Amino acid sequence: MLTAVGAPLEIWDDVEVDEPRAGEVRVRMAAAGVCHSDLAMAGGVIPAPLPAVLGHEGAGHVDAVGPGVDHLAAGDLVAVSWVAQCGQCFYCRRAQPHLCEQAVVAMASGGLLDGSSRLRSPRSHLFQALGAGTFAEAIVVPAVAAVKLPPDIDPAVAAMLGCAVVTGVGAALNTASIRAGDTVAVVGCGGVGLNVVQGARIAGAARIVAVDVHPDKLVLAEAVGATDGVLAADALGAVMDLTAQKGADVVFEVIGHAATIEQSLAMTRRGGQTVLVGIPAMDVMVEIPAMVGIVLAEKTIKGCWLGSSDIHRDVPRLVGWYRQGELRLDDLVSRRVGLEDVNAAFAATEAGAVARSVIVF
Ligand code: APR
Ligand code: ZN
Ligand code: ZN
């Protein structure tokens, strides 16, 4: 439980979980991944109503279904994501369910699609971060935020599907248009960035340059498909040298800092794409010279939200690639920890020491 910005997470044992209402399911969590956005909420970089149960990716077993839910049943293993996709709003009807208007309400309100939370404690009203709150033994989520998985998949691997994997792989395959033979750079190779690397490989990129401040991340990136790994300080020169001083065809920024966004824009060739995946703080501003930076350069700068993914279409496809060995997800689970070690897991992510820590219940 996050009770205040900057405070360590607390474990509350007096939390009650309501029955699912219409269109909702209760999930007994088996595993939940620690994402940098959880740290951003704990540090106040991403605003969130408090006290809140953090966590917005996870996997678990359905133990109750509300009225009107027909695609899930008790006992199903599901991946939980933080963008519920209502299927009916302006965006969902235009095949952009990652922008779902109802999901925005859930995210901002710390509740489900009607804005209310299903977690209670005698101490306080409780919120579910991003409408999820996967750092809990059980939660109720909108059924449209849960995707059924094969029963035999490792829940710790499945836990990453709902944010890191859909966002990373989706950024490469849905948000960007990578052509076979392209040179791609990925700036920031954490849990999300390592999945961008894999998505770029699947898309047919010939050269994938991984950029990070941590040498260990470059080793991991090369293990999952990067052809070159360069430390952040040397990255612009290295990408230029690899591309006859033109820049990469597609560059992904997967951190959310102004300096790395600027570095990513500089690394993008004329006519290329810069895809901004990392979630910046609300006050981060970027200045781009309109003529040489955009018009003359004809660069496309694209935001990326949840990898532009339709979770109901994409999660099964990702599971298929994982099973064929095309997506290396086992390598990304750096640590399995108990819920009591959540603060240590946050510190490891903050230090850049892990791809993903996964809380196992
Ligand atoms: N240059 C290059 N790499 C950097 C820099 C930098 N200046 N600063 C940090 N990094 C690296 C870290 O070493 C780490 O490997 O960026 C990576 C960030 O990874 P994680 O902390 O695992 O974050 P992740 O969960 O992947 O999220 C990345 O996407 O969803 C958003 O909110 C999330 O903005 C965050 C981003
Ligand atoms: Zn996340
Ligand atoms: Zn919608």
Side-chain angles (χ1 to χ4, degrees), residues 29-33 58-61 77-79 149-162 165 319 322-323 329-336 358-361:
M29 298 307 299
H61 294 92
L77 179 66
V78 292
L149 300 172
D152 56 341
I153 185 169
D154 175 1
V157 165
M160 302 183 295
L161 288 167
V165 187
V319 169
Y322 167 63
R323 298 195 134 191
L329 301 182
D330 299 302
D331 299 353
L332 304 193
V333 182
S334 314
R335 289 184 192 186
R336 294 167 194 247
V358 177
I359 298 168
V360 177
F361 293 92

Side-chain angles (χ1 to χ4, degrees), residues 53-324:
V53 176
L54 296 188
H56 55 274
E57 61 175 32
H61 294 92
V62 173
D63 81 349
V65 299
V69 176
D70 43 26
H71 73 290
L72 296 173
D76 286 348
L77 179 66
V78 292
V80 172
S81 183
W82 55 277
V83 182
Q85 308 193 332
C86 80
Q88 281 142 33
C89 72
F90 175 91
Y91 294 103
C92 283
R93 281 189 279 113
R94 278 158 188 79
Q96 293 181 304
H98 56 291
L99 302 179
C100 178
E101 285 176 320
Q102 287 211 51
V104 173
V105 173
M107 271 180 255
S109 65
L112 305 191
L113 294 178
D114 66 358
S116 68
S117 150
R118 302 286 168 271
L119 299 177
R120 284 178 293 116
S121 153
R123 290 186 247 184
S124 170
H125 181 79
L126 301 179
F127 296 98
Q128 298 179 235
L130 301 184
T134 53
F135 298 168
E137 287 166 343
I139 49 171
V140 171
V141 294
V144 287
V147 184
K148 186 173 170 174
L149 300 172
D152 56 341
I153 185 169
D154 175 1
V157 165
M160 302 183 295
L161 288 167
C163 181
V165 187
V166 283
T167 304
V169 179
L173 291 175
N174 299 330
T175 315
S177 11
I178 297 175
R179 283 173 300 191
D182 272 356
T183 295
V184 168
V186 181
V187 180
C189 293
V192 180
L194 289 164
N195 282 297
V196 177
V197 167
Q198 309 208 62
R201 169 172 47 72
I202 292 169
R207 192 139 213 174
I208 303 169
V209 187
V211 179
D212 205 285
V213 285
H214 257 275
D216 295 357
K217 293 296 177 57
L218 303 180
V219 173
L220 204 45
E222 285 173 3
V224 299
T227 54
D228 305 82
V230 292
L231 288 169
D234 314 322
L236 179 55
V239 168
M240 288 301 167
D241 287 346
L242 285 169
T243 55
Q245 307 304 316
K246 287 189 168 48
D249 300 296
V250 187
V251 181
F252 296 89
E253 198 279 351
V254 205
I255 306 162
H257 294 168
T260 43
I261 292 171
E262 278 159 13
Q263 188 187 42
S264 299
L265 284 162
M267 267 181 202
T268 307
R269 71 161 168 85
R270 286 185 71 201
Q273 304 159 52
T274 314
V275 182
L276 306 184
V277 185
I279 300 180
M282 293 292 175
D283 58 355
V284 168
M285 308 292 283
V286 186
E287 250 183 43
I288 306 166
M291 173 54 181
V292 296
I294 305 177
V295 180
L296 175 65
E298 208 192 52
K299 287 186 193 180
T300 303
I301 303 164
K302 266 192 133 179
C304 171
W305 196 241
L306 195 78
S308 315
S309 297
D310 174 339
I311 56 172
H312 302 283
R313 176 197 66 194
D314 293 348
V315 169
R317 182 167 73 157
L318 293 164
V319 169
W321 284 330
Y322 167 63
R323 298 195 134 191
Q324 291 157 16

